[in-house]
Amino acid sequence: MKTAEIEMKWYHFLPHIFILTIVPLIVHLNVMPLTGAYFDFWNGDKNNLDFFSYYKGIWLLVFTGLLVIMFLVRLFQSDPNLIKKDLRIYYIPAGVYLLFVIVSTVFSKYQNISISGFPDRYEGIYILAAYIFLFFFTTAFTSKEKHVKIILGSLIIGATIIGSIGLFQYIGYDLWKSDFGKSLMIPSKYLKISNDIRFQFDKHTIYATLYHTDYVGSYMAMLFPLSFALLVLVKNKWFKVGMAIITVIMAINWLGCNSRAGFVGGVLALIVFLISINKVLTRHWKYFAVGLMVTIAMFLGLNQISHGYVNTRVASIFRDVKSLISSNGNSNSQSYKDSIPLKDIKISGTKGTVVTATETLNFKLINNQLTFEDTNNKPIESSYDTSNGKITLKDPAYKDYSLLAGKDGNQYVFKLDKGDIKLLFDLKPQGISLMDNKGKIFTLEPVESWGFNGKEKLGSSRGYIWSRSIPLLKNTILLGYGPDTFAAYFPQHDILGKMYAYNGDMWQLVDKPHDLYLQVALNTGMVSLLALLVLFGLYLFKSIKIYTKNEYDNFLSQVGVGVFIAIVGYLGAAFFNDSVVSVAPVFWILLGLGVSINHIISNQNASKGTNFQNRKLGNPGNPAKIK
């Protein structure tokens, strides 16, 4: 006996609606005290003041939990459309990925980080599991065109609000810098610090509610192509008018956020869109051409407003590509040392040596007193101010040095500054030790690297990060280090490499690989990455088959190709950006929506084929017989 179909109502999609419209908008301060591994691998601050990730993650888990409850209720009601057997091919790689997320967490050395996530990111096991649940529940709940419209409408509303905030930021009216904005994002008990907040971005830059310009780029690499596709393909005039306005807002944010990753992803999506609609391009070429010209006009206008900065950012992409493929670069792995002021640090017992580009400073700890020698090991006369710990070297060659010595808690420390060189030493009778910016003793061990020799600054120092991250992959072939634990395993002690890559900032915290695929491979293992690539590949392959031959004469196919190129845009930007809780939930819902739309279209096409065969053969069950 066939089970009766249970109608899926609009309110069953309330969690989806909130995740797409409300969660990305959440900007609220959470003060997290840092202890243990959280402090050890953070930037030296004892508290993490997070505005953009923590509460987004909390509410994402709440709404995902509601989806779990709804799913279980409908499963208990024996909804026949809930688990689609035809989609098991997608569920298997998604399940494998989730399995390795769990196992990598269980065996992680830093389980607290793996469970809750790293400061400012909070993509631990719960959040990663929520992403997979969102994908699964979207495919489970979406089986009709009206379901697609609910999810699409929610996404467009949320994107329009985010885009409007970004638009005003670009012209110098940042909501979060206003008293009203501060009252929204800062709890009342912390309002006294509102005037002390320093914003990283000024006008002519967009970060909206998504934490960073790069993540606005990832978001808009989805939303701009999607809105552009709907503008071109959907015939309804009023819908076109609405989508024209929304597409302009998305275009301004896509270009105005100055994210090169987002630009690459968006352009890739538009190329795929052009290929997908080649069969019907003659029917829609006017709208495509007008949309493209408006986008170009946006580019020129934003470039004018920003005094050429947009063009500079785009041009830098081509410069980086040219530099990457050029054989003229210095391939010497140590070449970066020629460009930095700090050449070497040597420590032996109670003697230390700092070698700079212009001179060498030797210092010794004798009877709890520091003595100094120059490049030729000749003594340097010095004086010590007991009131503030300041040491003055009488040799003019060392006039640019700032030296301090004294007690810091229970430690006796020596601080040496010269321009970008900022060093701290622990002084004990038994020996001198080098300390990091958090006061933790470490040694300058050799750092493994792969590729990008002499080109570490490519892609805003992505070349440096990738060159130091790729060697770590040999340890994550099966299991990863644990969700969000990248910062704990990156060679943070590579102060010479950082000084070169980050223009003198030798204590820069590297907490993410700036590449989704590298991020997955390191955090949850290469097997989990392979599973994700299979999942993405299956969807992309199915979409190519459907949309390169489609007539786009119905709403589902028009939305379907828009979602398809949105996924392409995100995955393209993901070569240069990470997964973050501000954007990733939207991607995973869109991926589930795309799989669902493809499934509906395939079933419709199969049904049309069956009906055609029935009519052709004169099936007695079909009233349209051929006589």
Side-chain angles (χ1 to χ4, degrees):
M1 180 176 177
K2 187 176 180 180
T3 307
E5 181 178 347
I6 302 173
E7 181 69 18
M8 188 73 72
K9 303 295 185 182
W10 71 268
Y11 49 80
H12 292 119
F13 290 91
L14 277 174
H16 284 90
I17 294 171
F18 279 102
I19 291 171
L20 290 171
T21 58
I22 305 300
V23 169
L25 292 172
I26 295 174
V27 179
H28 201 64
L29 173 63
N30 174 65
V31 179
M32 177 180 176
L34 301 178
T35 58
Y38 290 107
F39 176 78
D40 291 341
F41 300 110
W42 190 230
N43 60 12
D45 294 338
K46 295 182 179 180
N47 295 291
N48 172 227
L49 276 63
D50 174 272
F51 289 91
F52 296 96
S53 299
Y54 181 82
Y55 283 112
K56 281 185 174 74
I58 293 296
W59 284 106
L60 171 65
L61 294 178
V62 169
F63 293 127
T64 304
L66 290 177
L67 278 174
V68 172
I69 295 172
M70 288 183 176
F71 175 81
L72 293 176
V73 169
R74 297 192 70 81
L75 193 65
F76 180 76
Q77 294 174 336
S78 301
D79 185 347
N81 293 320
L82 197 59
I83 301 178
K84 302 173 178 64
K85 294 181 179 179
D86 295 346
L87 299 185
R88 282 183 295 187
I89 191 172
Y90 297 100
Y91 299 153
I92 291 172
V96 171
Y97 167 73
L98 182 57
L99 173 64
F100 278 86
V101 168
I102 295 170
V103 178
S104 293
T105 301
V106 171
F107 289 95
S108 176
K109 180 180 177 181
Y110 304 104
Q111 280 197 351
N112 288 343
I113 295 177
S114 294
I115 292 171
S116 302
F118 198 68
D120 263 2
R121 297 185 44 76
Y122 300 105
E123 271 198 333
I125 183 176
Y126 298 133
I127 297 297
L128 296 186
Y131 295 161
I132 298 301
F133 288 151
L134 285 179
F135 166 74
F136 174 73
F137 293 139
T138 302
T139 62
F141 285 24
T142 308
S143 56
K144 294 183 178 181
E145 183 176 309
K146 64 180 181 180
H147 303 155
V148 174
K149 289 181 177 178
I150 292 171
I151 293 177
L152 179 66
S154 304
L155 176 61
I156 290 176
I157 291 171
T160 303
I161 298 172
I162 291 172
S164 299
I165 293 173
L167 172 61
F168 281 103
Q169 284 177 342
Y170 196 82
I171 60 178
Y173 296 97
D174 190 346
L175 169 66
W176 309 118
K177 294 179 182 179
S178 68
D179 291 339
F180 174 69
K182 289 179 180 179
S183 69
L184 292 176
M185 70 177 186
I186 303 176
S188 56
K189 64 179 179 179
Y190 295 117
L191 276 177
K192 60 183 179 181
I193 69 169
S194 62
N195 293 328
D196 298 326
I197 295 176
R198 297 293 177 262
F199 291 85
Q200 182 180 354
F201 305 109
D202 208 339
K203 66 178 182 178
H204 308 327
T205 305
I206 296 171
Y207 64 97
T209 62
L210 305 178
Y211 178 31
H212 194 277
T213 58
D214 282 343
Y215 306 132
V216 177
S218 290
Y219 186 85
M220 293 302 165
M222 293 187 286
L223 269 297
F224 169 64
L226 173 59
S227 61
F228 187 91
L230 295 177
L231 169 64
V232 171
L233 295 176
V234 177
K235 296 180 180 179
N236 184 281
K237 292 182 178 180
W238 287 112
F239 188 88
K240 275 191 182 295
V241 170
M243 288 314 303
I245 297 172
I246 292 169
T247 302
V248 167
I249 295 174
M250 298 301 105
I252 291 173
N253 280 262
W254 175 54
L255 296 169
C257 70
N258 298 317
S259 168
R260 297 183 297 175
F263 182 79
V264 170
V267 170
L268 179 62
L270 292 180
I271 293 172
V272 172
F273 179 53
L274 184 59
I275 296 171
S276 299
I277 66 170
N278 73 91
K279 187 177 178 181
V280 298
L281 187 58
T282 54
R283 208 188 309 160
H284 301 282
W285 73 269
K286 291 182 180 178
Y287 296 109
F288 187 91
V290 170
L292 198 58
M293 286 189 291
V294 170
T295 303
I296 294 173
M298 291 294 102
F299 176 88
L300 296 174
L302 293 174
N303 189 58
Q304 183 69 26
I305 294 173
S306 64
H307 306 292
Y309 186 65
V310 176
N311 183 63
T312 300
R313 291 291 290 172
V314 174
S316 67
I317 297 174
F318 299 99
R319 287 198 301 270
D320 280 354
V321 172
K322 182 180 178 181
S323 176
L324 185 61
I325 63 178
S326 171
S327 59
N328 297 326
N330 191 338
S331 60
N332 185 346
S333 62
Q334 298 300 317
S335 63
Y336 66 86
K337 289 187 177 181
D338 298 332
S339 304
I340 60 175
L342 179 62
K343 303 303 180 183
D344 199 5
I345 303 172
K346 300 174 184 177
I347 296 176
S348 177
T350 57
K351 180 180 179 180
T353 300
V354 175
V355 183
T356 74
T358 52
E359 69 284 309
T360 296
L361 178 65
N362 299 294
F363 55 95
K364 295 179 182 178
L365 181 64
I366 302 175
N367 296 326
N368 291 327
Q369 289 188 340
L370 283 171
T371 61
F372 300 90
E373 296 176 351
D374 64 12
T375 305
N376 299 314
N377 296 317
K378 293 182 178 180
I380 303 174
E381 185 180 352
S382 63
S383 63
Y384 179 67
D385 188 338
T386 56
S387 65
N388 55 22
K390 184 177 180 180
I391 299 173
T392 302
L393 301 181
K394 300 299 178 68
D395 189 332
Y398 298 89
K399 61 183 176 60
D400 294 329
Y401 283 70
S402 173
L403 307 177
L404 294 172
K407 275 264 188 178
D408 183 12
N410 296 324
Q411 291 176 300
Y412 186 52
V413 299
F414 171 51
K415 184 179 180 183
L416 183 155
D417 288 358
K418 182 193 177 186
D420 291 329
I421 301 173
K422 301 181 185 303
L423 300 173
L424 190 64
F425 299 89
D426 176 51
L427 304 180
K428 286 185 171 63
Q430 60 268 33
I432 296 172
S433 302
L434 181 62
M435 295 194 294
D436 62 17
N437 60 330
K438 298 182 290 291
K440 184 178 179 181
I441 294 174
F442 78 104
T443 57
L444 287 179
E445 298 173 355
V447 177
E448 286 188 84
S449 64
W450 185 91
F452 301 95
N453 297 328
K455 301 175 182 179
E456 289 89 348
K457 289 188 178 182
L458 287 177
S460 300
S461 301
R462 282 169 172 80
Y464 167 75
I465 297 173
W466 296 340
S467 70
R468 270 59 171 178
S469 299
I470 291 173
L472 301 174
L473 291 172
K474 64 180 181 292
N475 301 317
T476 63
I477 294 173
L478 183 61
L479 297 180
Y481 292 119
D484 232 3
T485 57
F486 174 81
Y489 290 91
F490 186 86
Q492 306 289 355
H493 65 279
D494 183 24
I495 58 177
L496 299 182
K498 288 181 180 180
M499 177 171 276
Y500 171 71
Y502 293 102
N503 299 313
D505 187 357
M506 58 196 299
W507 299 111
Q508 172 77 31
L509 171 68
V510 181
D511 62 342
K512 49 190 172 292
H514 286 285
D515 183 304
L516 169 65
Y517 310 102
L518 193 54
Q519 177 186 17
V520 172
L522 289 170
N523 287 345
T524 56
M526 294 182 70
V527 175
S528 72
L529 173 62
L530 179 61
L532 279 191
L533 293 178
V534 170
L535 173 61
F536 300 155
L538 287 170
Y539 168 72
L540 295 176
F541 178 74
K542 183 71 172 179
S543 297
I544 291 170
K545 285 182 64 177
I546 290 175
Y547 299 116
T548 53
K549 300 177 182 178
N550 208 288
E551 295 291 339
Y552 300 105
D553 54 0
N554 61 74
F555 185 72
L556 270 182
S557 62
Q558 293 159 356
V559 176
V561 74
V563 172
F564 168 45
I565 64 173
I567 297 299
V568 169
Y570 180 87
L571 295 178
F575 279 104
F576 311 97
N577 283 345
D578 312 272
S579 168
V580 289
V581 73
S582 292
V583 181
V586 174
F587 164 75
W588 283 101
I589 290 176
L590 272 180
L591 183 62
L593 182 65
V595 167
S596 297
I597 293 173
N598 289 355
H599 182 249
I600 297 170
I601 291 175
S602 296
N603 286 343
Q604 290 176 346
N605 291 341
S607 178
K608 289 178 183 178
T610 301
N611 290 337
F612 175 77
Q613 288 295 325
N614 287 340
R615 290 196 300 272
K616 185 175 180 180
L617 297 173
N619 189 314
N622 191 322
K625 295 182 181 180
I626 299 176
K627 295 182 180 179

